[in-house]
Amino acid sequence: LWQYRDITERQSAQQAIQESEEKYRGVLDNMELGLLEVDTEDTILRTNNAFCQMLGFEAAELIGRNAGQTLLPEVSQKEILARNAERRLGLSSVYEIQLKRKNGELIWGVISGAPLKNAQGQIVGSIGIQFDLTERKKLETDLAEAKLVADRARMAERQFLTHMSHEIRTPLNAITGMAYLMQKSGATPEQTDRLNKIAAASKHLLEIIDSILDLSKIEAGKLTLGAE
């Protein structure tokens, strides 16, 4: 006696699943973004080439190790504990965090993390996609430092202009005052003409100084316009 069972459909389904898994694995292994899968105890289950290159590890050096202890500096521990708590609640998030390379160097990464579920919908860990932000962070730091230097330079310029204007105004007021007194002390027509020119030049110079001070105030946002 003998019997047989047609398992063509089951074999076809298994083959389709296997092909899908291989395709999924190929995409993850060759994409430029880093990938890390961990279980609920933060033990590393899977990683890809991009992640290993980002942090200087071989995959075999990471599998089975605790992700937080291996890949995070002390300053990032509190952040990752909060994110792991979110995963246990089934929440996803995107955040920036410092990572530690194999040689101890610290880099910045942006992580898009999500809970990892089994076929029954139970949370069995988490999966994260990482992107190296180190260059962007460095650029932001350089820009912030350059802005600080520029702000200090503008402040020094305003202080110099204000100080210079006051230093010039004092002797200029003295010249204007002496010219006025000489005009009132019986000066000859020729002397009066010269004194008038001194007074006009002094007034013009004072107007220039006031304009310089106004420009400094405009740049500092401190110029107020009175109503007519």
Side-chain angles (χ1 to χ4, degrees), residues 28-78:
L28 295 183
D29 286 341
N30 294 288
M31 70 180 184
E32 295 184 1
L33 297 176
L35 175 136
L36 188 72
E37 291 183 12
V38 298
D39 63 16
T40 53
E41 301 299 324
D42 213 24
T43 301
I44 298 173
L45 303 175
R46 177 186 176 84
T47 185
N48 70 346
N49 295 330
F51 185 83
C52 291
Q53 292 175 5
M54 186 189 308
L55 295 178
F57 286 94
E58 296 292 335
E61 296 177 302
L62 295 175
I63 303 300
R65 298 179 65 177
N66 182 277
Q69 295 175 3
T70 306
L71 304 173
L72 299 179
E74 186 65 29
V75 294
S76 300
Q77 296 295 333
K78 185 176 180 181

Side-chain angles (χ1 to χ4, degrees), residues 11-27:
Q11 288 290 96
S12 298
Q14 289 178 345
Q15 183 177 355
I17 292 174
Q18 184 177 355
E19 291 176 354
S20 178
E21 288 178 348
E22 290 176 354
K23 184 184 298 184
Y24 168 76
R25 187 178 299 109
V27 170

